[in-house]
Every structure is written in structure tokens, then in C-alpha cells.
Amino acid sequence: MLKYILKRLILLIFTLFLVITATFFLMQIMPGTPFNNPKLTPEMIAQLNKAYGLDLPLWHQYLNYMINATHGDFGTSFQYQNQSVGMLIGQRLPISAQLGAQALVIGVIAGLFMGAISARNKNNKIDGTLGVVSTLGISVPSFILAIILLYLFGFKWPLFPVSGWGDSFSESVLPTIALAVGPAAIVTRFVRSEMIEALSSDYVQLARAKGLSEKEIVNKHAYRNSMIPVLTLIGPMAAGLLTGSTLIENIFSIPGIGQQFVSSIPTKDFPVIMGTTIVYALMLMVMILITDILTAIVDPRVRLQ
Amino acid sequence: MSNPILKVENLHVNFNTYAGTVKAIRDVSFDLNEGETLAIVGESGSGKSVTTKTLMGLNAKNASIPDNSRLLFKDKNLLALTEEEWQHVRGNEIAMIFQDPMTSLDPTMKIGHQIAEPLVKHRGISEKEALARALELMKGVGIPDAEEHINDYPHQWSGGMRQRAVIAIALAADPEILIADEPTTALDVTIQAQILNLMKKLQKESNSSIIFITHDLGVVAGMADRVAVMYAGKIVEYGTVDEIFFNPQHPYTWGLLNSMPTTDTEEGSLQAIPGTPPDLLEPPLGDAFAPRNVYALAIDSREEPPFFKVSDTHYAATWLLDERAPKVTPPKQILTRWAHWQELQGQEA
Ligand SMILES: Nc1ncnc2c1ncn2[C@@H]1O[C@H](COP(=O)(O)OP(=O)(O)O)[C@@H](O)[C@H]1O
Ligand SMILES: [Mg+2]
């Protein structure tokens, strides 16, 4: 197990290296330059370029970036002078992480419940209603949902604050729901089909033949077996939350890294773009690794190697 | 003869489907005596599994059973039970061994716990006591080094070992009736023999009754006391093992016997029964086997044959036994069997 995790971590570092390299060069293709404020004179721009090392040949810039990165120095933001990328992200990452984690936990738990209810009521009204709801949940993008939620519960019935972060928990309610609906819908559908399969499996038939009640069968046999495949969804869903949260953070004025990422692109804030991309990639890979380890713990048939 | 522990009377099972009503079981009656093994044989689709599921109260949701059908277990009609009462019967008074050991154990639960489960449920003992008993059961069904394997998961075991675990589960709460639905069909031949021997040995120890379902008459000879032959949702012939093997009367039984390999089978003499079983959405009038029966009489297509008595223990539903019917000569292999029957009778007299 430990050996496996170590192997995965080495692979992770290698992948990260590829991601950094690709992003670094792709960024250069973007039109425009970082310092395009009309008030800046050409001399000042040249000076700035020199200060940030942008006058060097590309390969040299790349080398510098890599060397600094291995020392934990990801440069300084162009946009917010004198703020290191590490510090900028360090302030904002916890906010995004909290939002994402809240949405993921609520989404998965809701999905597990609704999926099981749907499966046990297969093909009746409850199942049908949940089917429609989950289809909507999957197909409506989170930002549209956010706007609807804002309108309904921010303005029409002002139950929750419409923007901000960190002053009270209620500020996080609407953005969390907007983000959680997608994962909840995906998990609902997945658990439903897995549960239906489990409930018609031979081992559930045997459990029935043992004289267990339907409730005991669901709790002791069907749930665990239908949850294992759901675990594999968590990695990709976490990725969806990352990208989804960039828009949600903007809509609700949440000072997370998503908001920062979005604003760093038009300003060509290269170090911030790089830093955020690295964080996204790292978080995604760590989530997938955790998912795999969890699967191995829950599913006795899976041996990590 | 000892007392019947189970009486099945006029059992009908229908399935409602989009295409119509599938009449899967059509008026089946039989008794199961204490301590005996009754084999139910028949081709695939003849209604064997539906019969067993009905006995466990585990039929599919689209099943319906008319009110005049009765399943009397120790004089209590199982068909009148509530779901909760059924749960007390299942695994406790009537237990079941399933066909495919590769899929009938929960892949995510330790085998020891799976064996302990019915004990916790029906005996109300603690998990710890139940696991201790599970260990004994594992030894009883011949699992080597049981102590080391009680915490194994199913995927770590071979099919034969898993079927032993399934048997241990069925025996856990010491049921009076054990239903085995093709318990060896999914296993290879050597393992098959081991499992059958195990079941026989365990039955001797516990004196439980067994209903043994199979499509293979070959495994019946060493296992069963009595045999019921099923076709298209009906029992067409039943009797003691010797009566069915050596004095068969129904052409369907002849067909089954002729398609069964034996040690002294002449090469090329094995014959599958031609044709296919009827559609149970629209069961034919008269004898359902008639279209596949070279000995069919004109009346077979009009009227269903009643059971004709061959002996006190042996009945067959074929018009050939009617006194008005012409005498037919069965296939050669059946004549050989009949000759053997005459010898057996001679010895007894
Ligand atoms: N849930 C169901 N719905 C409709 N038809 C069914 C259902 N279960 C069984 N049947 C039909 O009942 C008949 C008997 O099946 P079964 O008892 O499984 O046969 P076997 O003798 O091979 O065990 C078959 O024709 C089968 O298609
Ligand atoms: Mg069957």
C-alpha cells in the first residue's frame, strides 16, 4: 500500500511537471502583453519587463521559473504588485476549498439518499419525480442555478445574503447549493442504477433467503456494494466543482482562487495563471489518488499495486 | 412412510408481463416427507426455480398466486403469511442453496460474517457467539484451516469452496427443509461430486428434508429418495428413484433418461428431446408435451391427461396409461430399463 502511494506520488510530480511546462508555453500564445496600461511609457514597460525577467529568451524564462518553483517561489503577481503568488493563493485557496468541500459533501450525501430512495421506489411516482429532478440538476449549469437562487432567495424572499464571504455561514448557503446540485444529481442517478442492480443480484437474493428484512438488506448489503462505484465519481466531480466554482465565486463575489483565476487571464498575470493552474492540477490529482485509496479500503477485491 | 413436513396443493403461479400472463406453474401438488430428498427434474424453463422461489416467498413482484393454492408447512399455510412472518421462515425453517456460488455471496462482506448472519437474525445471539458457530459450520462443510479463513472475502475462494460457504449459510439456523436449486450446475464435475457427497452427509447428520432441483437426471440417482418430473409448469410423473429410473411411464421421462449419459451408454445412442417447450403465455390444450411426443395420441391435443396410478408411490400423467390406449413400444434403452425393473421386482418377490 505504502509503496503504491509512493509510486503514485512520483507519477503525480511527473504529471505536474508536464502540466507546468504545457501551461507555460501555451500562455505565450495568448494575445497581448501583461503591461498594457496606456499610461505606461515604452521605457517604463521595458523596465517592468526587465524587472520580471520577461526580456529574457523564452527558454531562459522557463528555466528560471522551474528553478524558482522547485524552491517554492512561484513569482510575484503583475497585477497586485509586491504580492507573491504563494501568498495570494494561500489567502484564497482555503475559501475555495471550503466552498468546494461543502458542496461535495452535501452533494454526495444528498445523492446517496435520493439514489437509494429512487431505487427502492423503482418506476413509481417518487422515482419518476427524482428522475426529472436529477436530469434537470445535471443539465442546468451551476451558474444559471446560481442566478435563479440569487433571484429567489436573495431578492424575492431575501433569506440569504447575496454576496460576500467569511462574515457568517449564511453567506455560503446559496453558492454551496448552486455547486452541490450537480454532484447530487450525478450521484443520485449513479446510486439509483447501482442500487437497482444490487437489489436484483444473487447475493441480495441470498440475503433475502436468510430471512433478513428489506431494510437490513439495503443497509448491510446493497448500500456498500452500490457505494463502491460511486467513489470513483468523486475525483471527476471534484474537477467539475473546481471549474464550476470559478463562475460561482464571481457571481457571489467570493474571494476564492476561482475569482482570482478569472481576473488573472485578461490581465495576462502570468505568475498567477501558472500558480492557479498548478493548484488546480494538484488538487485534482490528489483527489483522484484519495479516491483510489478509499476504493481499495472499502472494496476488498481491489488490491493497489 | 413418514409424515409429510410440506404439502404443496394445487399450486399455480402466474406472472403478469406486458405480453400477457405467463402461466409458469400450472397446478402442481406434491408432498415432502421428513428426512427425505425429493428431486424435481425437468428441462430449463419447466418451472423448477419458480417452484423453489414460491416455497421461500421470494417470487418476483409480478407474480400472482390464486387463493386456492396452498403450501402447508407443518400445517401452516405459507401463502397466507405476512412479509414479517415469511422472514421468520426464511433461513430458519426453510433455507435455500443457490445455483451460482460465484455470485451468491456478498463480495464486500467477510465470509464468516455472512455465515453468522442468519444466526444473529434467527437465534438472537451476539455477533461473537454467531462467529464462533460460523467457524464450526465452516469446519462442518469441509473448509480446510477454517480459523485462518473466517475473515476471507469471497473473491479469495474457489467456486467449490464458495458453494460450501453457501451451504454453511443455509445450514446455519438448522432449517427443517433445505431447497437446493441446481447447486452443482455451475461447478466442474469433480467438485460437483464432492458437494453432492457433502450434502448427503450433512442431511444424514441433521435429518432435514431436501428438495433438490436439477435439469440433470444423472446427479439424481445417488441423491434422491423420490423424483418428480416437471414439464411446462406441471409435474408429469413422480415416484421413487427406482421407479422413475427403471419403470418410467411418461414419454417425457423417457426422453430425459435417453438424453442422460450413463456408464454403459452405447455410443451415439444419446438423444436430446426434439423440439422446444411450449410458450407458457398460451399453454396448449391437452398434453403440453404432445407436439414433441412421437407417441402422442389423438386425445393428447384435446384433453389433459389425469394422473394414472402405477403403484402406491408412482403416478404418471399420460394417456398411454389409459386402458383404452394402444400399447406402444418405448425406445430400446427404456425397454432395457424395464427389463432391469423386472429383475429388481423378481429379487424382491
Ligand atoms: N418474473 C417472471 N416474469 C415472467 N416470467 C417468468 C418470471 N420468472 C420466471 N418466468 C417464466 O417462468 C418459466 C419457468 O421458469 P423457471 O422456474 O426459472 O425455470 P427452470 O425450470 O429452468 O428453473 C419460464 O418460462 C420463465 O420464463
Ligand atoms: Mg432454474
Side-chain angles (χ1 to χ4, degrees), chain B residues 43-50 52-53 99 181-182 213:
Chain B
E43 288 169 304
S44 149
S46 52
K48 307 180 300 290
S49 293
V50 173
T52 64
K53 283 182 192 157
Q99 175 169 349
D181 190 354
E182 314 228 14
I213 308 288

Side-chain angles (χ1 to χ4, degrees), chain B residues 7-38:
Chain B
K7 286 188 192 184
V8 176
E9 293 174 358
N10 308 106
L11 179 65
H12 289 257
V13 179
N14 298 320
F15 290 105
N16 303 313
T17 68
Y18 289 115
T21 306
V22 177
K23 295 150 198 93
I25 305 294
R26 306 182 297 141
D27 201 20
V28 160
S29 301
F30 63 86
D31 290 351
L32 178 69
N33 295 317
E34 251 173 67
E36 84 165 337
T37 299
L38 171 71

Side-chain angles (χ1 to χ4, degrees), chain A residues 201-203 205-214 216 220-222 224-225 228 298-301 303, chain B residues 53 56 58 87 90-91 96 98 100 103-109 114 117-118 121-122 153 155 166 169:
Chain A
S201 70
D202 286 357
Y203 59 82
Q205 191 79 348
L206 180 79
R208 290 202 179 101
K210 285 175 178 177
L212 300 189
S213 69
E214 216 48 33
E216 288 168 317
K220 289 186 184 164
H221 296 281
R224 189 173 11 195
N225 279 283
I228 291 170
V298 184
D299 188 346
R301 288 161 297 184
R303 285 279 155 272
Chain B
K53 283 182 192 157
M56 295 291 286
L58 286 177
Q87 284 167 21
R90 288 184 205 128
M96 182 148 175
F98 289 86
D100 189 354
T103 54
S104 46
L105 293 169
D106 183 340
T108 63
M109 192 187 259
Q114 299 195 46
E117 231 178 357
K121 173 83 185 182
H122 297 298
Y153 287 95
H155 73 274
V166 172
I169 291 171

Side-chain angles (χ1 to χ4, degrees), chain B residues 130-146:
Chain B
L131 279 173
R133 178 84 189 102
L135 184 63
E136 280 171 48
L137 283 160
M138 282 168 72
K139 289 178 185 162
V141 296
I143 286 160
D145 306 317

